[in-house]
Amino acid sequence: MRFLTWIDGAVRRLELALAVAAMLGVVTILSAQVFFRYVLLDPIFFAEEVALLLLIIATFAGLSLLVAEECLIGIDLVGPKLSPAARARLDLGMKLLTALISGALAVFAVSYVITPWVWFERFATVPLPRASLYTLVAIELCLATFHQVVLILKGVFDPTSQAAQ
Amino acid sequence: MITLVTFAVLLCLGLPIVYLLLASSIVFTLEVGVVALFDSFLVQSVRGVEATGFLAIPLYILVGEIMNRSGITERLIRSAMRLVGSMRGGLAYVNVLTNAFCAAILGSATAQIAIMSRSMVPEMAKHGYDRSFATGLTVTTGLLGPIIPPSMLMIIYGVLAYQSVAALFVAGFLPGLLLVIAFFATIFMSRKRLPDSSDVPVLSFALKDIGLDALPALIPATIIAGIISGVMTPTEAGALAAIVSLVISVGVFRSLKLADFVPVMKAVVLSSAAIITLIAFATLLGWVLAYQGIPDLLATAIADFSAGPISFLLLVCLVVFILGMFLDGIGVMIVIVPVLLPVAAAFDVDPIHFGVVISIATLTGLISPPVGPGLYIAMDATGLKMKPIVLGTLPFLGAFLVCLLVILLLPELSTALPSFLGL
């Protein structure tokens, strides 16, 4: 369990670095665009497409982090009315379901990006296939599932550390 | 039917909203038996957020985050206190005015409710205001966030409806002002129940202090001036506002340090991801439903029930209100707008007016029990139970609904300013 937690933490830090770098890229490119367009009168032609690409990367890395840090918004109408033991079982059930749904989307995503023909479509201004973006998103969806599974395992095998978190 | 039951059950059990939308898409696909749709789930989710208009979302979140960490709330409260703090029930007016100022910077109701519930409610309670009244007022005035520009909901509506986000931003100005006046009037009517403001701290009226506290006004001024002049797109205005807020925080207030960089960016990433993944998966659900023609059925039903534009808009408000009780405002908008916009056009409803009405109607769900997320945020921030908060919101929710009706009946309130400015 300790090794799994270590891996989970390392992946989380990597994802945070990726997401922050991508988001910083979005802000920098768009701010630079204002300067280039209105001061130098020479807009950056690829600014919007690259910014959008970075935003999508940051978004799905952010989704994975939201899962890892249990920050996803849900509306808990039943939980507060249950006994602590029943509530713990409900929480576990919801986490299992989230992992299942997340895993299903990850499977759909991976099966899409391994299809050869999807690699022919390219971005308009960036010399890359669009499937490279989809691959990154698919990886993030797999990592979100991984984080959720780690949370479930922590809840089952190490409930004290989970509660402390 | 199975999808609807699954949705309701999982919602009550507390499944996160983004996964709820995804689960509904999967269950619906299995229910109709077209599993080939699964192949396109990834592409449809990503394409749902691939609109340049959405680039403005992280920029406005960044502006809010920078200003929030710079102690902007306290400065805005002080500015509002100088203007209306000396009146009877002064802190209640201060609450409304601070929320209106905050709305011109933050653009999100939930963020605003969270911030203001933590800062204004304890302050009002300390000065003898009933906590239920203070929280109810704070929750309802927090709804100004997405109405007064800039607004996340308007950005999303603009992208979905192919309307100018600049025009939508400007369109929200008069309805926002009307709501502020209505909240002021509601406070005035309950002034006898409110404490005297003689013990409210006396503030410095030195020009330097007034100037420093009013400095955050540069941010909405940058956004509005950039957009109204037609020089900038809302995204570019957001980028410039981010630079201005950074200069104010680092250069003038000296409240943002290098060590704050990662926490600020992390907060921006998480908040943007929460909103944008919601857009992605709501788009996916909308696409799956469209495959079976469900939106067309809904649109036809609403069109059949409507005798004219007014009854159509009233019916839309009702549908949005009901959906808004169970689904996030962004989710409601993504599912509803593509469906009802053509019907609105058939009834000759101006798309900008429709956008303003639907945005405001969506907000009512945010503070309506049993699900209203705004109520939960306030419960978490103030420690009050739902019932006293709901009771506290009632007079202000009443004022909000009356304003919604006025805005619905008078399209000019939404369309006059954008037309006048040629947007």
Side-chain angles (χ1 to χ4, degrees):
Chain A
M1 197 63 227
R2 199 174 288 173
F3 179 66
L4 210 55
T5 308
W6 181 82
I7 299 242
D8 185 54
V11 170
R12 207 189 285 194
R13 281 191 291 279
L14 265 176
E15 284 181 299
L16 179 62
L18 172 74
V20 167
M23 196 54 89
L24 193 65
V26 172
V27 176
T28 310
I29 288 174
L30 293 173
S31 306
Q33 175 73 330
V34 173
F35 180 76
F36 273 76
R37 177 169 293 181
Y38 300 108
V39 180
L40 303 181
L41 302 174
D42 184 18
I44 312 168
F45 70 94
F46 56 82
E48 286 193 338
E49 189 169 40
V50 173
L52 210 46
L53 204 148
L54 291 173
L55 178 66
I56 292 167
I57 293 170
T59 296
F60 283 91
L63 172 68
S64 182
L65 286 169
L66 283 169
V67 171
E69 301 193 0
E70 297 188 82
C71 291
L72 286 168
I73 302 161
I75 294 150
D76 196 2
L77 287 177
V78 176
K81 295 183 175 73
L82 299 176
S83 67
R87 185 167 189 169
R89 279 197 290 276
L90 177 66
D91 282 347
L92 182 66
M94 284 301 106
K95 279 180 184 155
L96 278 168
L97 191 59
T98 306
L100 194 69
I101 298 163
S102 182
L105 187 65
V107 169
F108 301 150
V110 170
S111 67
Y112 179 82
V113 294
I114 58 169
T115 313
W117 61 263
V118 301
W119 288 83
F120 291 126
E121 194 188 357
R122 302 183 84 82
F123 290 107
T125 59
V126 185
L128 283 173
R130 286 185 61 86
S132 53
L133 172 67
Y134 295 137
T135 305
L136 269 176
V137 173
I139 292 170
E140 283 303 338
L141 293 170
C142 293
L143 290 177
T145 312
F146 169 71
H147 291 311
Q148 192 62 57
V149 170
V150 172
L151 282 174
I152 293 166
L153 292 176
K154 266 192 205 168
V156 173
F157 295 111
D158 193 6
T160 46
S161 81
Q162 177 82 4
Q165 233 183 13
Chain B
M1 191 61 198
I2 298 171
T3 311
L4 208 62
V5 172
T6 311
F7 182 90
V9 170
L10 295 180
L11 175 84
C12 294
L13 293 178
L15 189 71
I17 305 282
V18 280
Y19 284 104
L20 183 67
L21 293 169
L22 201 49
S24 305
S25 306
I26 293 172
V27 171
F28 187 76
T29 306
L30 291 173
E31 190 182 348
V32 297
V34 193
V35 287
L37 293 182
F38 288 142
D39 295 340
S40 300
F41 266 34
L42 173 69
V43 176
Q44 290 303 328
S45 306
V46 173
R47 292 233 164 120
V49 294
E50 244 184 322
T52 49
F54 291 144
L55 284 171
I57 292 174
L59 296 174
Y60 289 113
I61 291 175
L62 176 63
V63 172
E65 198 58 42
I66 290 174
M67 294 320 289
N68 192 29
R69 280 174 195 262
S70 307
I72 189 189
T73 319
E74 288 71 29
R75 289 182 188 281
L76 293 177
I77 290 173
R78 283 203 293 269
S79 292
M81 269 183 179
R82 285 193 184 95
L83 292 170
V84 290
S86 59
M87 297 156 78
R88 186 182 180 89
L91 278 181
Y93 295 106
V94 168
N95 190 334
V96 176
L97 214 52
T98 311
N99 263 298
F101 292 157
C102 255
I105 294 169
L106 289 179
S108 155
T110 44
Q112 208 165 304
I113 292 170
I115 293 168
M116 296 302 289
S117 297
R118 287 199 165 83
S119 53
M120 267 324 281
V121 175
E123 187 68 18
M124 288 177 76
K126 201 169 84 186
H127 288 92
Y129 287 79
D130 176 38
R131 277 173 69 80
S132 158
F133 172 87
T135 313
L137 172 66
T138 309
V139 167
T140 323
T141 47
L143 301 186
L144 288 170
I147 302 169
I148 294 177
S151 154
M152 299 295 164
L153 279 179
M154 298 286 191
I155 294 173
I156 293 161
Y157 175 81
V159 171
L160 292 173
Y162 301 101
Q163 294 300 312
S164 153
V165 176
L168 285 161
F169 274 10
V170 173
F173 190 76
L174 286 181
L177 198 64
L178 179 73
L179 280 164
V180 169
I181 294 168
F183 291 144
F184 271 14
T186 313
I187 296 168
F188 183 76
M189 282 190 279
S190 37
R191 66 189 178 283
K192 284 185 184 152
R193 291 196 295 127
L194 303 179
D196 199 359
S197 53
S198 54
D199 55 346
V200 172
V202 180
L203 293 167
S204 155
F205 275 84
L207 215 55
K208 188 187 164 197
D209 294 335
I210 294 176
L212 274 177
D213 286 343
L215 206 55
L218 260 184
I219 295 158
T222 308
I223 297 167
I224 303 294
I227 292 173
I228 286 180
S229 62
V231 172
M232 290 179 200
T233 64
T235 308
E236 291 167 344
L240 194 62
I243 295 170
V244 171
S245 59
L246 201 64
V247 170
I248 293 176
S249 304
V250 178
V252 183
F253 297 157
R254 297 183 192 283
S255 48
L256 210 64
K257 307 273 179 296
L258 203 61
D260 295 324
F261 171 74
V262 172
V264 165
M265 288 311 289
K266 185 182 174 186
V268 174
V269 164
L270 294 183
S271 302
S272 305
I275 294 175
I276 299 174
T277 48
L278 205 61
I279 297 173
F281 295 140
T283 309
L284 176 67
L285 179 61
W287 175 75
V288 170
L289 294 175
Y291 189 83
Q292 283 294 306
I294 304 291
D296 290 340
L297 290 176
L298 181 67
T300 312
I302 290 183
D304 287 348
F305 269 109
S306 311
I310 302 292
S311 57
F312 165 71
L313 285 175
L314 283 170
L315 209 57
V316 168
C317 286
L318 187 70
V319 170
V320 165
F321 172 69
I322 294 168
L323 283 177
M325 283 162 63
F326 302 98
L327 205 57
D328 184 276
I330 294 168
V332 172
M333 205 161 244
I334 289 165
V335 172
I336 283 286
V337 169
V339 176
L340 294 180
L341 197 65
V343 187
F347 279 115
D348 270 339
V349 176
D350 187 285
I352 296 289
H353 178 220
F354 185 63
V356 172
V357 169
I358 209 165
S359 297
I360 299 176
T362 300
L363 293 173
T364 51
L366 202 64
I367 57 166
S368 303
V371 180
L375 298 173
Y376 283 89
I377 293 168
M379 281 163 68
D380 182 44
T382 62
L384 281 176
K385 293 222 178 300
M386 187 180 275
K387 195 178 168 190
I389 298 179
V390 172
L391 287 176
T393 60
L394 284 180
F396 301 102
L397 187 59
F400 190 87
L401 291 175
V402 169
C403 286
L404 174 59
L405 196 64
V406 172
I407 294 161
L408 189 151
L409 294 172
L410 297 173
E412 294 77 15
L413 271 174
S414 319
T415 56
L417 216 48
S419 314
F420 177 72
L421 295 167
L423 292 169

Short mmCIF file of all heavy atoms in Angstrom, two decimals, chain B residues 275-302:
data_model
loop_
_atom_site.label_atom_id
_atom_site.label_comp_id
_atom_site.label_asym_id
_atom_site.label_seq_id
_atom_site.Cartn_x
_atom_site.Cartn_y
_atom_site.Cartn_z
N ILE B 275 -15.23 23.42 -14.08
CA ILE B 275 -16.24 24.01 -14.98
C ILE B 275 -16.17 23.37 -16.37
O ILE B 275 -17.17 22.99 -16.95
CB ILE B 275 -16.02 25.54 -15.09
CG1 ILE B 275 -16.30 26.21 -13.74
CG2 ILE B 275 -16.90 26.15 -16.18
CD1 ILE B 275 -16.00 27.70 -13.71
N ILE B 276 -14.94 23.25 -16.89
CA ILE B 276 -14.82 22.84 -18.30
C ILE B 276 -15.13 21.34 -18.48
O ILE B 276 -15.71 20.96 -19.50
CB ILE B 276 -13.43 23.24 -18.86
CG1 ILE B 276 -13.31 24.77 -18.79
CG2 ILE B 276 -13.25 22.77 -20.30
CD1 ILE B 276 -11.96 25.33 -19.15
N THR B 277 -14.80 20.51 -17.49
CA THR B 277 -15.18 19.09 -17.64
C THR B 277 -16.70 18.94 -17.57
O THR B 277 -17.28 18.08 -18.23
CB THR B 277 -14.53 18.18 -16.58
OG1 THR B 277 -14.72 18.76 -15.30
CG2 THR B 277 -13.07 17.96 -16.85
N LEU B 278 -17.31 19.81 -16.78
CA LEU B 278 -18.78 19.82 -16.72
C LEU B 278 -19.35 20.13 -18.12
O LEU B 278 -20.29 19.48 -18.58
CB LEU B 278 -19.22 20.88 -15.73
CG LEU B 278 -20.56 20.72 -15.06
CD1 LEU B 278 -20.62 19.44 -14.26
CD2 LEU B 278 -20.85 21.90 -14.16
N ILE B 279 -18.73 21.12 -18.79
CA ILE B 279 -19.16 21.46 -20.16
C ILE B 279 -18.94 20.26 -21.07
O ILE B 279 -19.81 19.89 -21.87
CB ILE B 279 -18.36 22.68 -20.69
CG1 ILE B 279 -18.64 23.92 -19.83
CG2 ILE B 279 -18.69 22.95 -22.15
CD1 ILE B 279 -17.77 25.12 -20.17
N ALA B 280 -17.77 19.61 -20.93
CA ALA B 280 -17.43 18.48 -21.82
C ALA B 280 -18.46 17.36 -21.68
O ALA B 280 -19.00 16.87 -22.68
CB ALA B 280 -16.03 17.97 -21.47
N PHE B 281 -18.75 16.97 -20.44
CA PHE B 281 -19.63 15.81 -20.25
C PHE B 281 -21.11 16.16 -20.44
O PHE B 281 -21.91 15.30 -20.80
CB PHE B 281 -19.35 15.14 -18.90
CG PHE B 281 -17.96 14.56 -18.82
CD1 PHE B 281 -17.20 14.66 -17.67
CD2 PHE B 281 -17.39 13.93 -19.91
CE1 PHE B 281 -15.90 14.15 -17.60
CE2 PHE B 281 -16.09 13.41 -19.87
CZ PHE B 281 -15.35 13.52 -18.71
N ALA B 282 -21.46 17.43 -20.18
CA ALA B 282 -22.85 17.85 -20.47
C ALA B 282 -23.06 17.87 -21.98
O ALA B 282 -24.13 17.52 -22.47
CB ALA B 282 -23.13 19.22 -19.87
N THR B 283 -22.02 18.29 -22.73
CA THR B 283 -22.10 18.27 -24.20
C THR B 283 -22.27 16.83 -24.68
O THR B 283 -23.06 16.55 -25.59
CB THR B 283 -20.82 18.87 -24.82
OG1 THR B 283 -20.58 20.12 -24.23
CG2 THR B 283 -20.95 19.03 -26.32
N LEU B 284 -21.53 15.93 -24.05
CA LEU B 284 -21.62 14.51 -24.42
C LEU B 284 -23.04 13.99 -24.19
O LEU B 284 -23.63 13.34 -25.07
CB LEU B 284 -20.61 13.70 -23.58
CG LEU B 284 -20.64 12.20 -23.77
CD1 LEU B 284 -20.18 11.81 -25.17
CD2 LEU B 284 -19.77 11.50 -22.74
N LEU B 285 -23.60 14.33 -23.03
CA LEU B 285 -24.98 13.89 -22.72
C LEU B 285 -25.96 14.48 -23.74
O LEU B 285 -26.84 13.78 -24.25
CB LEU B 285 -25.36 14.30 -21.29
CG LEU B 285 -26.77 13.92 -20.84
CD1 LEU B 285 -26.98 12.41 -20.86
CD2 LEU B 285 -27.07 14.44 -19.44
N GLY B 286 -25.78 15.78 -24.04
CA GLY B 286 -26.64 16.44 -25.03
C GLY B 286 -26.55 15.74 -26.38
O GLY B 286 -27.56 15.52 -27.06
N TRP B 287 -25.34 15.34 -26.76
CA TRP B 287 -25.12 14.67 -28.05
C TRP B 287 -25.80 13.30 -28.07
O TRP B 287 -26.45 12.92 -29.04
CB TRP B 287 -23.61 14.54 -28.29
CG TRP B 287 -23.24 13.78 -29.51
CD1 TRP B 287 -23.32 14.20 -30.81
CD2 TRP B 287 -22.73 12.44 -29.57
NE1 TRP B 287 -22.89 13.21 -31.66
CE2 TRP B 287 -22.52 12.12 -30.93
CE3 TRP B 287 -22.42 11.48 -28.61
CZ2 TRP B 287 -22.01 10.89 -31.33
CZ3 TRP B 287 -21.92 10.26 -29.01
CH2 TRP B 287 -21.72 9.97 -30.36
N VAL B 288 -25.65 12.56 -26.97
CA VAL B 288 -26.26 11.22 -26.90
C VAL B 288 -27.79 11.34 -26.96
O VAL B 288 -28.45 10.58 -27.68
CB VAL B 288 -25.81 10.51 -25.58
CG1 VAL B 288 -26.60 9.24 -25.37
CG2 VAL B 288 -24.33 10.19 -25.63
N LEU B 289 -28.33 12.32 -26.21
CA LEU B 289 -29.78 12.52 -26.22
C LEU B 289 -30.27 12.93 -27.61
O LEU B 289 -31.32 12.50 -28.08
CB LEU B 289 -30.20 13.57 -25.19
CG LEU B 289 -29.98 13.21 -23.71
CD1 LEU B 289 -30.32 14.40 -22.83
CD2 LEU B 289 -30.82 12.01 -23.30
N ALA B 290 -29.46 13.78 -28.27
CA ALA B 290 -29.84 14.26 -29.61
C ALA B 290 -29.91 13.11 -30.60
O ALA B 290 -30.69 13.14 -31.56
CB ALA B 290 -28.84 15.31 -30.08
N TYR B 291 -29.09 12.08 -30.39
CA TYR B 291 -29.07 10.92 -31.30
C TYR B 291 -30.46 10.27 -31.36
O TYR B 291 -30.87 9.76 -32.38
CB TYR B 291 -28.02 9.91 -30.83
CG TYR B 291 -27.79 8.81 -31.82
CD1 TYR B 291 -26.93 8.99 -32.91
CD2 TYR B 291 -28.46 7.59 -31.70
CE1 TYR B 291 -26.74 7.98 -33.83
CE2 TYR B 291 -28.27 6.58 -32.62
CZ TYR B 291 -27.41 6.79 -33.68
OH TYR B 291 -27.23 5.80 -34.60
N GLN B 292 -31.18 10.32 -30.25
CA GLN B 292 -32.52 9.72 -30.21
C GLN B 292 -33.62 10.78 -30.38
O GLN B 292 -34.79 10.50 -30.17
CB GLN B 292 -32.72 8.98 -28.88
CG GLN B 292 -32.02 7.63 -28.83
CD GLN B 292 -32.60 6.63 -29.80
OE1 GLN B 292 -33.79 6.36 -29.81
NE2 GLN B 292 -31.76 6.08 -30.66
N GLY B 293 -33.22 12.02 -30.66
CA GLY B 293 -34.20 13.08 -30.90
C GLY B 293 -34.93 13.56 -29.66
O GLY B 293 -35.99 14.18 -29.75
N ILE B 294 -34.38 13.27 -28.48
CA ILE B 294 -35.05 13.70 -27.23
C ILE B 294 -35.17 15.23 -27.16
O ILE B 294 -36.24 15.75 -26.83
CB ILE B 294 -34.27 13.17 -25.98
CG1 ILE B 294 -34.13 11.66 -26.03
CG2 ILE B 294 -34.94 13.63 -24.67
CD1 ILE B 294 -35.38 10.86 -25.85
N PRO B 295 -34.11 15.98 -27.49
CA PRO B 295 -34.24 17.43 -27.42
C PRO B 295 -35.34 17.96 -28.32
O PRO B 295 -36.06 18.89 -27.94
CB PRO B 295 -32.86 17.93 -27.90
CG PRO B 295 -31.94 16.81 -27.62
CD PRO B 295 -32.74 15.57 -27.83
N ASP B 296 -35.50 17.35 -29.51
CA ASP B 296 -36.56 17.81 -30.42
C ASP B 296 -37.94 17.60 -29.79
O ASP B 296 -38.83 18.43 -29.93
CB ASP B 296 -36.48 17.05 -31.75
CG ASP B 296 -35.25 17.46 -32.54
OD1 ASP B 296 -34.72 18.55 -32.24
OD2 ASP B 296 -34.81 16.69 -33.41
N LEU B 297 -38.08 16.45 -29.10
CA LEU B 297 -39.37 16.16 -28.45
C LEU B 297 -39.67 17.21 -27.38
O LEU B 297 -40.79 17.72 -27.29
CB LEU B 297 -39.33 14.77 -27.80
CG LEU B 297 -39.31 13.57 -28.74
CD1 LEU B 297 -39.16 12.28 -27.96
CD2 LEU B 297 -40.61 13.53 -29.55
N LEU B 298 -38.62 17.53 -26.60
CA LEU B 298 -38.79 18.53 -25.53
C LEU B 298 -39.13 19.89 -26.12
O LEU B 298 -40.04 20.59 -25.65
CB LEU B 298 -37.49 18.61 -24.71
CG LEU B 298 -37.47 19.59 -23.54
CD1 LEU B 298 -38.44 19.14 -22.46
CD2 LEU B 298 -36.07 19.70 -22.95
N ALA B 299 -38.40 20.25 -27.20
CA ALA B 299 -38.63 21.54 -27.85
C ALA B 299 -40.05 21.61 -28.40
O ALA B 299 -40.75 22.62 -28.25
CB ALA B 299 -37.61 21.75 -28.96
N THR B 300 -40.50 20.53 -29.03
CA THR B 300 -41.86 20.49 -29.59
C THR B 300 -42.90 20.63 -28.48
O THR B 300 -43.88 21.37 -28.63
CB THR B 300 -42.09 19.17 -30.37
OG1 THR B 300 -40.97 18.97 -31.22
CG2 THR B 300 -43.35 19.19 -31.18
N ALA B 301 -42.65 19.91 -27.37
CA ALA B 301 -43.61 19.96 -26.26
C ALA B 301 -43.72 21.38 -25.71
O ALA B 301 -44.83 21.88 -25.49
CB ALA B 301 -43.18 19.00 -25.16
N ILE B 302 -42.57 22.03 -25.52
CA ILE B 302 -42.59 23.39 -24.99
C ILE B 302 -43.25 24.35 -25.99
O ILE B 302 -44.05 25.20 -25.62
CB ILE B 302 -41.15 23.86 -24.62
CG1 ILE B 302 -40.68 23.08 -23.40
CG2 ILE B 302 -41.10 25.36 -24.36
CD1 ILE B 302 -39.34 23.46 -22.87
#
